[in-house]
């Protein structure tokens, strides 16, 4: 999906790299690399995380990883827990939506 976002922006290079097997014996999360050269100095860089706590470590989970739940915890009373329930995916998608909108309106990603 992330590689597809880079391709939609018109990047010359967009690749997914397989990182192999983790120390826990599960496949690692792939890394996406892209280069978008619009003929102007770089103005934006993006780095993000799309991973979550591995399901291969069952002792690290308070609840089953694929069951989202509202639980009582600390001073916040009810909190949402579950695999990937909260991390950087939301802000990353907002960033991509902003870039896609700029390109849709201006027709380019090159600054003027």
């Amino acid at each position: 999906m992330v590689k597809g976002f880079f391709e939609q922006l018109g990047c010359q290079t967009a690749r997914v790299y397989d990182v192999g097997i983790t120390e826990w014996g599960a496949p690692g999360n792939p890394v996406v690399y892209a280069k978008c050269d619009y003929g102007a100095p770089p103005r934006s860089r993006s780095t993000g995380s799309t991973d979550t706590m591995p399901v291969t470590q069952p002792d690290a989970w308070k609840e089953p990883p694929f069951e989202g739940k509202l639980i009582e915890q600390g001073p916040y009373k009810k909190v949402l827990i579950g695999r990937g329930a909260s991390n950087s995916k939301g802000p990353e998608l907002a960033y991509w939506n902003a870039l896609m909108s700029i390109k849709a309106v201006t027709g380019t990603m090159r600054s003027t």
Side-chain angles (χ1 to χ4, degrees), residues 4-93:
F5 289 157
F6 282 119
E7 291 169 343
Q8 287 177 32
L9 286 174
C11 296
Q12 295 81 9
T13 303
R15 293 188 187 121
V16 178
Y17 290 92
D18 180 357
V19 299
I21 302 299
T22 69
E23 62 187 279
W24 300 284
N29 293 318
V31 172
V32 179
Y33 168 83
K35 181 175 181 183
C36 307
D37 187 346
Y38 294 100
R43 300 277 190 246
S44 177
R45 291 199 167 101
S46 170
T47 182
S49 168
T50 56
D51 65 337
T52 58
M53 190 165 51
V55 296
T56 54
Q57 296 174 292
D59 294 341
W61 291 90
K62 292 181 181 181
E63 300 287 338
F66 295 106
E67 294 180 20
K69 290 186 178 181
L70 284 173
I71 64 166
E72 299 284 332
Q73 183 173 316
Y76 306 108
K77 301 295 178 199
K78 292 193 177 210
V79 296
L80 176 65
I81 65 166
R83 187 170 196 265
S86 175
N87 64 18
S88 63
K89 288 188 277 271
E92 277 186 61
L93 193 53

